[in-house]
Amino acid sequence: DGEPASAWMAYGLQDVLTLRQFVQDSNADPAHKRVEHHKLESMLGLCELITCRRHALLAYFDEDSSQRCGNCDNCTNPPEKWDGTVATQKALSCIYRTGQRFGVNYLIDVLHGKTDERIQNNNHDQISTYGIGNDFTTTEWRSIYRQLIALGYIDVDTEGYGALHLTEKCRPLLRGDETIDLRKQTKQEKPDKDKKAATLIRPQDQTLWDSLRSLRSELAEQFGVPPYVIFHDATLHEMIKNRPLNTTDMAHISGVGKQKLDRYGQQFISEIASHPLPPLLDNRLSDTVNETLMLYQQKISIDQIALKREIKVTTVYTHLADAIATGLLPVFDVISLERDEYETIVSLMESFANDEQSRLKPVYDALDQEVDYGVLKCIQASI
Ligand SMILES: [Zn+2]
């Protein structure tokens, strides 16, 4: 819908195991299986990648791109690598010593030296890899095994019991002729969608935005469709920008066709009508200025606004000065000076007008520093 979007993928060891078995167990002919297998390898490779994902994706489709897109998770938050050679040797040896007949959970129990009847019956508490893996947690071992499977060092059995066995690729690693870097497992923060969307919405539009979205959700539920089928976010943005109050204006919003206009138009118009935008707030000033103007609009005093927003009184005046400068606010609404006092200050300012840079400082001094800088800014803005 033309809006910035984020995609995130969650995958774990179980997915790797299931997908591999899925390909192996399918009834497809060997040639088709090889193609599917290759596709799976490429996808797992992409998941475990520690370099730019966009670069890798485009390279897969034979397209050139810069080495770093600056936008994918690996670019914005480069994964830490660690030398996983010793851990890998332990993980692989454990598969080998237990006869390549067991799944990940069992192998990790052996590495942790767990007292378990099954392990004892198999005499796996007697083997050299029993209890040599206590430097890693179960989660960490699962991550190591997942990467080794994805990287093709380990294969999953065809019978579907999830037993792991070694591939030819393991030999140099087990002999110590090769080292391996693994990706450090980090907790990924879920991208904060609301925060991103909020930055596109002016503070004075926030309540209308929220109610248009909840109206959309209600309708979506009522008609049993996803919300974007009712209206895209981009359409709601345009409604907020243009605030159509009748069907003619509503019809001009892109994404509002004849059918949608008939079906939902009136409800959205009513919602917009119940959130009128005061002329003062109909501006393109910055968010922080508008936060101040919203409070000012509610007849809250300048001192109270400063307290509420935890900013200086002078800053509040500076914000109001922006509104005065754009003609949204009469200066005498803001400052409590008599007309002649105001005129005096204006002529003072004009007399210092050559001194462009620091015009206010000499005025401030000439007034014995008794008039707030912010008030001076408001007066300056009104000239
Ligand atoms: Zn990237």
Side-chain angles (χ1 to χ4, degrees):
D1 55 9
E3 293 289 313
S6 46
W8 63 284
M9 176 178 180
Y11 106 116
L13 176 59
Q14 198 51 51
D15 301 304
V16 179
L17 297 174
T18 312
L19 286 169
R20 289 219 169 218
Q21 282 173 8
F22 196 67
V23 173
Q24 281 161 352
D25 295 350
S26 84
N27 294 322
D29 61 78
H32 186 74
K33 263 190 186 181
R34 268 199 303 278
V35 172
E36 290 300 314
H37 199 79
H38 178 73
K39 283 187 190 165
L40 179 60
E41 295 301 320
S42 306
M43 198 190 68
L44 294 177
L46 178 68
C47 293
E48 299 295 349
L49 203 70
I50 48 184
T51 51
C52 177
R53 293 191 195 276
R54 184 166 193 272
H55 180 71
L57 264 177
L58 289 174
Y60 183 83
F61 295 107
D62 293 325
E63 273 191 53
D64 271 338
S65 68
S66 69
Q67 297 286 323
R68 283 177 48 85
C69 73
N71 204 33
C72 71
D73 61 327
N74 287 347
C75 282
T76 54
N77 190 14
E80 277 182 64
K81 285 187 296 185
W82 60 286
D83 182 352
T85 310
V86 173
T88 297
Q89 285 166 344
K90 288 179 183 177
L92 298 176
S93 304
C94 196
I95 296 174
Y96 184 73
R97 301 272 169 215
T98 53
Q100 313 196 54
R101 290 182 293 121
F102 297 91
V104 174
N105 295 336
Y106 184 89
L107 294 166
I108 294 174
D109 283 348
V110 172
L111 285 165
H112 279 158
K114 210 167 160 189
T115 322
D116 176 286
E117 211 178 316
R118 207 166 143 227
I119 293 176
Q120 283 162 349
N121 290 344
N122 288 325
N123 289 326
H124 288 154
D125 52 349
Q126 310 295 321
I127 60 175
S128 59
T129 53
Y130 183 75
I132 60 163
N134 284 312
D135 36 355
F136 295 105
T137 64
T138 301
T139 312
E140 287 165 338
W141 278 119
R142 287 181 74 87
S143 164
I144 293 165
Y145 274 115
R146 186 198 74 228
Q147 295 184 61
L148 294 175
I149 296 168
L151 295 168
Y153 291 97
I154 300 171
D155 225 337
V156 187
D157 77 338
T158 39
E159 279 84 47
Y161 298 110
L164 305 186
H165 57 260
L166 306 180
T167 67
E168 277 301 307
K169 204 179 169 185
C170 286
R171 286 182 187 277
L173 257 173
L174 282 171
R175 278 200 309 262
D177 293 344
E178 235 177 48
T179 60
I180 180 170
D181 278 343
L182 294 178
R183 186 188 179 106
K184 199 172 241 175
Q185 194 73 3
T186 49
K187 277 207 181 107
Q188 291 286 334
E189 301 260 328
K190 222 171 122 183
D192 195 342
K193 274 196 292 178
D194 290 343
K195 208 173 145 197
K196 269 199 175 152
T199 57
L200 301 168
I201 308 286
R202 298 183 302 179
Q204 61 267 50
D205 294 327
Q206 191 63 51
T207 50
L208 177 57
W209 171 250
D210 290 341
S211 29
L212 291 183
R213 277 168 56 101
S214 68
L215 172 59
R216 181 176 65 175
S217 300
E218 280 168 36
L219 291 169
E221 199 163 315
Q222 192 182 323
F223 289 96
V225 295
Y228 67 83
V229 170
I230 307 290
F231 285 129
H232 276 306
D233 275 2
T235 303
L236 297 190
H237 277 299
E238 205 178 316
M239 286 185 195
I240 280 177
K241 197 170 156 235
N242 297 344
R243 306 218 173 207
L245 293 172
N246 53 56
T247 48
T248 317
D249 290 345
M250 184 58 106
H252 286 121
I253 303 285
S254 59
V256 184
K258 175 87 179 75
Q259 206 182 17
K260 287 189 181 185
L261 182 67
D262 292 345
R263 208 176 283 174
Y264 323 118
Q266 204 50 56
Q267 278 167 281
F268 281 84
I269 289 170
S270 312
E271 205 59 54
I272 293 165
S274 65
H275 292 86
L277 185 67
L280 177 61
L281 298 177
D282 192 3
N283 64 62
R284 280 276 133 211
L285 299 170
S286 70
D287 283 358
T288 182
V289 168
N290 276 310
E291 302 266 5
T292 293
L293 293 179
M294 283 167 74
L295 296 171
Y296 185 82
Q297 177 74 29
Q298 294 166 37
K299 308 265 180 257
I300 296 172
S301 76
I302 289 169
D303 288 340
Q304 282 299 316
I305 294 173
L307 270 176
K308 238 182 151 102
R309 295 208 55 206
E310 296 178 338
I311 55 180
K312 289 187 197 147
V313 169
T314 309
T315 310
V316 176
Y317 275 116
T318 310
H319 292 164
L320 297 174
D322 282 351
I324 293 169
T326 45
L328 292 165
L329 203 56
V331 65
F332 283 103
D333 278 16
V334 179
I335 58 167
S336 50
L337 290 177
E338 294 301 325
R339 187 93 214 174
D340 57 335
E341 290 176 296
Y342 171 81
E343 301 291 357
T344 313
I345 295 172
V346 169
S347 34
L348 250 175
M349 279 178 179
E350 281 164 351
S351 69
F352 289 114
N354 297 331
D355 197 359
E356 284 287 343
Q357 286 295 314
S358 52
R359 202 147 50 124
L360 287 186
K361 174 73 174 137
V363 178
Y364 184 64
D365 290 338
L367 294 165
D368 299 327
Q369 309 188 344
E370 275 173 9
V371 181
D372 190 286
Y373 248 114
V375 173
L376 294 181
K377 281 195 176 155
C378 288
I379 295 172
Q380 189 184 36
S382 71
I383 305 176

